[in-house]
């Protein structure tokens, strides 16, 4: 087990390097330069060239790449042209928001998705449920977000529309601050989680029904096992294993969804950082965010693999 | 009609102030801005997100009122010699930086020479070439020695065009990456408190502001809200108090909802903007005036005004905005009314007949994705005369690259902001010296010696009547040669909640006199 972990972690390094290099090349292939964005909305003779010279953007790409690689080897993600701050610091400041958003949304989707999927697998009204899950999964997260805002913030006035806290409020104590943050994050988390919830519920339902037709279930039923035990103790764990594997691959979709949610709810997260950086051709920041996203996806998949081995006695022994 | 509304809104604002009785102090205003500024140094960029926020931290030599006329700011008075070659500003005696140091003439000299003339695109292009040198004979006197008379000078030294920064802070080190860009020290009505990137910028009242009793507000919080719909919802719910820019489509949503809306012709980032189609004159197709004129008359600009701007603005009448009345030439474009039949005839004459599928030729048009509604209308209108329009959506960096650096495009749609003087934002579009590498300048690659001469002469003339004649002469040539096609003059609508008054959205220091009503 430990050897496997170590091997996977070592394999992750070249994966990340390739991801970062692709990001570097794409970021520099995009038309336009950070110098023009820094200059602003007007032009003046020689201005862009002067900014480029000051920022070291007039050097050959190979030199910039070599310097970037060298810095990366020292754990330095570089300096943002646009924000005039180290990229690592920019990412660190925003990672919290995006992680809370993403992890809460996953937990919400898993918890309610599995419960609803299991319930719907056994009830006769399954078709309606399937339709509802399919709609949840298909509707763009932007639309879900707008609808939630309309109902819970605008019509009912229960929750705030945007932001992390009320800028007019006087400084709060820790517990009050956490409560305030939770109030502000409730809608974004639900909006991001709902689409994933539809996906989890659909998959749980399909897998469970498939599992319930297996021979071992029939055997257990013949032995006189109760229906509830059959479902929850015997069939469900087997049904969930492949779901876990699939969920690892959904982390990417979640990262994309977080970008939209952060924009709609005006939250200072990684997705927003990536968008503003891309528009300003702020290459170091773009590459840094891609690198972090790649790291999250690699780690999530690794965690899923480990969890799977740990949960599945067959794989546990093989490892 | 449009003017009347603008003036009415302004009048109402002015009337409200005395009627409201005693002036109130205190309160926080939350301002919704669409983009994170990145940094807060307004002297090293013309980026609107930076200027929108940072202008409240600084002062110019003058401030500009709603008519564009200069009023005292850091300079309490100024004199210009009859030959226009020496302009002397007298600074207010008691202005101080937020750290307590006095504001001196050396700071002014430093700001222009080391920052504005190098990094502020409009000031570098529009003012620097006219200035021979800046002297600071005593701490409260600044003298601009001019190479030639420069009429627009006083409109180019407000807080948006030329913010004054403290030399003792920004004088050391690389200005473009200075630590103070993130912790600015200014002289303006508000002091910097903190900046959380992509989230909020908090400014607090400058207790020692040199203008007595100002500002009224205690705090100014800028909230970065990228989604326009979220901004409107937050305004209606009272989460924010002020929205910098309301789209024409949202104006109706805000009517009778406890919100004040004011149309202006500008603010941070530019004023008197005209949506303009630029023809790449280096392409043989557009070297033919008949083709350019055909495209111009094939466009129903009234429809654009009605359907895209919901009537808020006006169809462009001339190459120079009607917001600069002394230079504007009313009716300059009257010879090119919307006429699809004429367009078809011109294209036939130009030897561009319709093919078997009814299409004559196809052209591309580079623009921002926010102009998509213009694109849809133009695609339909041009299809009627057999021209297929392929729209290319790009962002600012992509536009600068394709149109100005590589010049690989047929046509482009750009909102050209004229500014308060044609020397600031108009000349750059036609100046043959700007062809090529200067972004957001002469997209068409237009070259006409007489037009170059007229713009140069008008910039160096002091008498406004005489300048107006020169600009009108240039517009007559432009209207005949059509290097561009001027579509509509857009207005900028700003909205704030009715429990505030006194905002000045046409000015950089829009909140200097704002107050919260009890």
């Amino acid at each position: 087990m430990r050897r496997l972990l170590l091997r996977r972690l070592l394999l992750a390094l070249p994966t990340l390097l390739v991801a970062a290099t692709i990001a570097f090349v794409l970021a520099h292939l995009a038309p336009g330069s950070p110098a023009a964005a820094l200059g602003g909305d007007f032009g003046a003779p020689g201005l862009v060239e002067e900014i480029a010279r000051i920022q070291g953007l007039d050097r050959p790409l190979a030199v910039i790449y070599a310097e970037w690689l060298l810095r990366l080897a020292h754990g330095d993600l570089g300096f943002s042209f646009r924000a005039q701050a180290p990229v690592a610091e920019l990412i660190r400041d925003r990672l919290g928001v995006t992680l809370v958003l993403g992890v809460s949304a996953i937990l919400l989707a898993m918890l309610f998705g599995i419960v609803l999927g299991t319930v719907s697998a056994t009830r006769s009204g399954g078709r309606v449920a399937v339709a509802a899950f399919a709609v949840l999964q298909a509707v763009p997260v932007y639309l879900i977000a707008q609808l939630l805002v309309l109902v819970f913030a605008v019509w009912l006035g229960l929750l705030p529309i945007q932001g992390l806290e009320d800028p007019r409020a006087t400084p709060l104590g820790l517990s009050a601050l956490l409560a305030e943050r939770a109030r502000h994050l409730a809608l974004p988390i639900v909006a991001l989680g709902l689409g994933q919830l539809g996906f989890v519920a659909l998959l749980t339902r399909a897998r469970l029904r498939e599992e319930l037709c297996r021979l071992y279930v029939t055997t257990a039923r013949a032995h006189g096992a109760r229906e509830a035990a059959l479902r929850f103790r015997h069939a469900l764990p087997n049904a969930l294993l492949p779901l876990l594997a699939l969920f690892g691959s959904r982390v990417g979709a979640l990262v994309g969804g977080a970008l939209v949610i952060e924009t709609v709810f005006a939250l200072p997260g990684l997705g927003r950082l990536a968008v503003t950086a891309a528009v300003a051709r702020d290459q170091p920041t773009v590459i840094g965010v891609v690198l972090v996203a790649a790291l999250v996806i690699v780690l999530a998949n690794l965690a899923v693999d480990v969890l799977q081995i740990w949960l599945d006695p067959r794989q546990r022994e093989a490892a | 009609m449009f003017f009347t509304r603008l003036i009415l809104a302004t009048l109402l604002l002015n009337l409200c102030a005395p009627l409201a009785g005693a002036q109130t102090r205190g309160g926080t205003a939350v301002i919704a801005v669409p983009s994170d500024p990145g940094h807060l140094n307004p002297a090293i960029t013309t980026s609107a997100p930076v200027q929108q926020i940072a202008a409240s931290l600084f002062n110019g030599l003058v401030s500009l009122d709603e008519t564009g006329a200069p009023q005292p700011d850091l300079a309490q008075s100024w004199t210009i010699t009859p030959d226009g070659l020496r302009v002397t500003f007298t600074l207010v005696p008691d202005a101080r930086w937020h750290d307590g140091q006095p504001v001196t003439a050396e700071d002014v000299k430093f700001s222009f020479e080391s920052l504005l003339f190098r990094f502020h695109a409009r000031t570098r292009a529009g003012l620097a070439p006219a200035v021979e040198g800046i002297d600071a004979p005593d701490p409260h006197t600044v003298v601009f020695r001019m190479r030639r008379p420069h009429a627009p000078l006083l409109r180019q030294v407000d807080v948006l065009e030329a913010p004054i920064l403290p030399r003792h802070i920004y004088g050391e080190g690389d200005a473009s990456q200075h630590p103070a860009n993130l912790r600015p020290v200014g002289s303006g009505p508000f002091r910097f408190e903190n900046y959380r990137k992509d989230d909020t910028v908090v400014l607090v009242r400058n207790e020692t502001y040199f203008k007595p009793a100002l500002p009224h507000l205690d705090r100014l919080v800028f909230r970065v809200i990228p989604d326009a719909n979220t901004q409107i919802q937050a305004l209606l719910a009272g989460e924010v108090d002020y929205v910098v820019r309301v789209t024409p489509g949202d104006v109706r949503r805000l009517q009778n909802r406890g919100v004040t809306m004011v149309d202006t012709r500008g603010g941070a980032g530019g004023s008197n903007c005209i949506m303009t189609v630029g023809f790449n004159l280096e392409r043989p197709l557009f070297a033919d005036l008949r083709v350019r004129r055909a495209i111009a008359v094939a466009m129903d600009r009234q429809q654009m005004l009605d359907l895209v701007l919901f009537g808020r603005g006006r169809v462009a009448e001339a190459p120079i905005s009607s917001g600069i009345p002394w230079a504007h030439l009313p009716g300059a474009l009257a010879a090119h009314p919307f006429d699809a039949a004429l367009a078809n005839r011109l294209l036939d004459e130009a030897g561009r007949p319709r093919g078997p599928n009814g299409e004559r030729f196809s052209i591309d048009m580079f623009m921002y994705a926010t102009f998509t509604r213009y694109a849809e209308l133009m695609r339909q209108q041009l299809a009627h005369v057999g021209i297929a329009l392929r729209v290319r959506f790009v962002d600012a960096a992509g536009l600068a690259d394709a149109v100005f650096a590589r010049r690989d495009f047929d046509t482009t749609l750009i909102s050209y902001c004229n500014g308060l003087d044609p020397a600031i934002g108009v000349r750059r579009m036609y100046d043959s010296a700007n062809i090529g590498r200067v972004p957001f300048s002469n997209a068409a690659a237009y070259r006409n010696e007489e037009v170059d001469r007229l713009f140069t002469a008008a910039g160096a003339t002091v008498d406004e009547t005489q300048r107006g004649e020169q600009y009108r002469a240039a517009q007559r040539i432009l209207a005949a040669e059509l290097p561009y096609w001027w579509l509509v003059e857009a207005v900028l609508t700003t909205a704030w909640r009715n429990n505030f008054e006194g905002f000045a959205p046409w000015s950089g220091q829009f909140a200097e006199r704002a107050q919260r009503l009890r």
Side-chain angles (χ1 to χ4, degrees):
Chain A
M1 183 79 173
R2 191 172 297 157
R3 280 218 345 248
L4 179 110
L5 254 179
L6 205 66
R7 215 183 69 215
R8 289 291 302 271
L9 277 176
L10 279 178
L11 264 176
L13 280 180
T15 312
L16 290 177
L17 184 66
V18 168
T21 302
I22 291 174
F24 181 93
V25 171
L26 286 180
H28 285 87
L29 276 183
S33 107
L38 286 173
D41 313 327
F42 277 71
L47 176 65
V48 172
E49 291 79 3
E50 182 163 351
I51 294 175
R53 189 177 47 74
I54 290 171
Q55 305 279 357
L57 287 160
D58 53 350
R59 299 169 304 162
L61 197 58
V63 175
I64 298 179
Y65 181 69
E67 188 194 85
W68 170 77
L69 263 188
L70 198 71
R71 283 176 169 226
L72 193 64
H74 291 84
D76 182 355
L77 288 176
F79 197 82
S80 160
F81 298 117
R82 202 190 83 85
Q84 310 199 348
V87 172
E89 187 186 304
L90 295 177
I91 291 175
R92 194 195 61 211
D93 288 351
R94 287 166 183 73
L95 200 56
V97 171
T98 306
L99 274 185
V100 168
L101 193 62
V103 171
S104 312
I106 289 184
L107 290 180
L108 178 101
M110 292 286 260
L111 192 68
F112 288 93
I114 291 174
V115 169
L116 290 175
T118 311
V119 172
S120 76
T122 59
R123 290 282 159 85
S124 48
R127 273 161 197 268
V128 180
V130 169
F133 299 150
V135 167
L136 272 187
Q137 195 205 341
V139 174
V141 64
Y142 179 79
L143 196 62
I144 296 185
Q146 298 284 7
L147 286 175
L148 286 175
V149 166
L150 204 60
V151 174
F152 291 98
V154 177
W155 289 346
L156 299 177
L158 291 175
L159 291 165
I161 291 166
Q162 47 81 39
L164 267 183
E165 54 203 51
D166 179 3
R168 292 196 199 88
T170 44
L172 300 166
L174 185 64
S175 58
L177 182 72
L178 286 180
E180 176 80 356
R181 291 261 164 118
R183 243 169 59 78
H184 278 83
L185 282 171
L187 283 182
I189 288 170
V190 173
L192 184 59
L194 274 183
Q196 304 296 323
L197 185 151
F199 170 79
V200 175
L202 274 182
L203 210 69
T204 308
R205 182 176 186 276
R207 287 286 307 132
L208 192 58
R209 287 171 71 95
E210 204 177 302
E211 211 62 35
L212 284 172
C213 299
R214 292 276 179 103
L215 275 179
Y216 74 88
V217 176
T218 316
T219 314
R221 191 174 281 137
H223 277 273
R226 278 181 299 118
E227 204 56 24
L230 265 182
R231 254 178 215 132
F232 294 110
R233 202 155 74 228
H234 298 286
L236 191 59
N238 281 318
L240 289 185
L241 264 182
L243 192 137
L244 202 61
L246 260 176
F247 210 85
S249 70
R250 294 291 285 191
V251 171
L254 212 67
V255 171
L259 190 155
V260 175
I261 291 293
E262 286 167 13
T263 303
V264 173
F265 291 96
L267 299 171
L270 275 188
R272 285 267 306 289
L273 180 66
V275 174
T276 17
V279 171
R281 300 295 187 273
D282 186 3
Q283 293 130 353
T285 311
V286 172
I287 301 164
V289 176
V290 169
L291 201 58
V292 169
L295 185 70
V296 167
I297 291 172
V298 165
L299 287 181
N301 279 301
L302 185 62
V304 163
D305 286 355
V306 170
L307 216 59
Q308 223 167 5
I309 294 168
W310 181 64
L311 284 174
D312 187 342
R314 290 163 301 183
Q315 288 196 49
R316 197 158 53 205
E317 270 160 40
Chain B
M1 173 61 203
F2 156 71
F3 260 135
T4 327
R5 203 162 37 191
L6 186 75
I7 290 164
L8 260 179
T10 324
L11 276 178
L12 277 174
L13 270 178
N14 289 343
L15 286 175
C16 282
L19 284 178
Q23 295 202 323
T24 52
R25 263 264 351 252
T28 297
V30 183
I31 316 295
V33 291
S35 324
D36 179 72
H39 66 81
L40 295 168
N41 185 341
I44 60 166
T45 182
T46 48
S47 151
V50 175
Q51 298 211 326
Q52 184 70 53
I53 299 173
S56 287
L57 293 162
F58 295 94
N59 295 94
L61 286 172
V62 307
S63 69
L64 298 171
D65 65 16
E66 57 268 52
T67 67
Q71 303 292 335
D73 202 14
L74 274 181
Q76 60 184 8
S77 62
W78 47 87
T79 54
I80 304 174
T81 52
D83 61 4
L85 293 178
R86 271 175 80 86
V87 184
T88 307
F89 292 93
T90 306
L91 304 186
V92 287
D94 49 354
R96 288 187 178 274
W97 299 110
H98 295 153
D99 63 1
Q101 301 279 323
V103 178
T104 68
E106 286 296 335
D107 293 314
V108 176
K109 180 176 158 70
F110 159 78
S111 298
F112 278 95
E113 289 176 350
S114 300
L115 302 176
L116 297 162
F117 285 170
R118 283 184 76 194
F119 298 115
H120 190 290
R122 288 192 297 265
T123 304
R124 175 180 170 129
L127 183 57
V131 175
E132 191 178 70
I134 299 174
D135 301 323
D138 71 69
H140 293 110
T141 306
V142 179
V143 179
F144 281 64
R145 278 180 286 112
M146 311 302 291
R147 289 182 206 282
R148 50 179 182 267
H150 185 66
L153 175 72
L154 288 174
R155 296 190 182 106
Q156 291 182 306
V157 291
D158 75 317
V159 71
L160 292 176
E161 302 301 313
I164 304 303
L165 273 58
R167 187 170 88 152
H168 67 278
I169 302 278
Y170 295 86
E172 310 244 321
D174 172 14
S176 66
Q177 284 188 0
H178 199 283
N181 294 353
L182 297 177
R183 310 188 46 78
V185 176
S187 58
F190 294 91
R191 262 188 310 119
F192 174 78
E193 183 164 276
N194 84 66
Y195 171 23
R196 287 199 312 220
K197 288 176 187 277
D198 276 337
D199 189 26
T200 49
V201 181
V202 181
L203 312 184
V204 295
R205 182 173 195 268
N206 176 6
E207 302 291 341
T208 55
Y209 194 39
F210 65 90
K211 297 183 189 173
L214 290 178
H216 303 301
L217 295 171
D218 276 343
R219 277 183 0 131
L220 214 49
V221 179
F222 293 87
R223 267 287 293 145
V224 183
I225 304 180
D227 188 77
N229 186 50
T230 308
Q231 286 189 12
I232 299 297
Q233 304 276 30
L235 181 72
L236 288 174
E239 289 183 22
V240 306
D241 303 308
Y242 185 103
V243 170
V244 168
R245 176 163 223 163
V246 179
T247 63
D250 282 332
V251 167
R252 273 186 279 188
R253 277 172 75 190
L254 290 176
Q255 262 150 11
N256 305 317
R257 299 290 298 275
V259 167
T260 302
M261 280 182 283
V262 172
D263 286 351
T264 62
R265 295 172 154 279
S271 55
N272 291 322
C273 306
I274 306 181
M275 292 298 298
T276 307
V277 172
F279 303 108
N280 183 353
L281 299 175
E282 292 172 339
R283 298 240 152 129
L285 176 63
F286 298 109
D288 189 335
L289 172 62
R290 289 171 298 192
V291 172
R292 302 199 297 274
R293 182 153 185 244
I295 291 176
V297 298
M299 289 188 187
D300 183 351
R301 300 180 296 158
Q302 186 62 44
Q303 196 182 37
M304 294 181 195
L305 178 66
D306 294 341
L307 298 184
V308 183
L309 296 178
F310 297 94
R312 299 179 82 83
R314 54 192 290 168
V315 169
E317 257 191 273
I320 293 180
S321 166
S322 62
I324 314 175
W326 54 270
H328 176 67
L329 177 63
L333 305 178
H336 315 295
F338 169 52
D339 185 346
L342 174 61
N344 276 315
R345 215 162 50 237
L346 285 165
L347 290 169
D348 288 337
E349 281 171 24
R352 304 279 175 182
R354 285 181 190 265
N357 57 354
E359 189 182 305
R360 298 175 190 273
F361 54 84
S362 87
I363 54 173
D364 64 36
M365 184 178 283
F366 282 73
M367 66 177 81
Y368 295 158
T370 45
F371 299 159
T372 173
R373 303 188 67 160
Y374 288 101
E376 283 162 20
L377 288 181
M378 280 191 279
R379 191 154 40 203
Q380 287 170 17
Q381 293 168 359
L382 291 179
H384 276 300
V385 299
I387 300 172
L389 186 68
R390 287 174 286 117
V391 177
R392 295 272 184 274
F393 290 126
V394 286
D395 57 13
L399 191 76
D401 184 63
V403 175
F404 297 98
R406 288 189 293 113
R407 297 204 57 76
D408 183 12
F409 73 104
D410 294 326
T411 65
T412 174
L413 178 66
I414 294 177
S415 169
Y416 274 106
C417 295
N418 287 188
L420 294 172
D421 192 296
I424 298 174
V426 178
R427 181 182 178 174
R428 61 182 168 141
M429 298 171 64
Y430 310 102
D431 190 346
S432 60
N434 272 352
I435 299 173
R437 300 207 50 86
V438 185
F440 309 107
S441 60
N442 190 344
Y446 180 61
R447 198 183 290 275
N448 181 311
E449 278 175 25
E450 178 62 8
V451 171
D452 280 348
R453 192 191 64 77
L454 283 166
F455 272 104
T456 306
T461 305
V462 177
D463 178 54
E464 208 157 74
T465 318
Q466 209 182 334
R467 297 184 70 207
E469 278 316 311
Q470 288 156 334
Y471 284 127
R472 278 189 273 275
Q475 286 175 89
R476 272 180 216 109
I477 301 174
L478 295 171
E481 299 204 328
L482 297 176
Y484 298 84
W485 180 236
W486 305 267
L487 301 177
V488 287
E489 296 183 5
V491 296
L492 192 140
T493 305
T494 303
W496 60 85
R497 291 175 64 80
N498 282 347
N499 53 340
F500 287 86
E501 66 175 29
F503 283 114
W506 53 83
S507 160
Q509 285 166 353
F510 70 101
E512 188 185 41
R513 288 160 198 279
Q515 53 185 318
R516 201 188 149 89
L517 304 176
R518 303 235 180 255

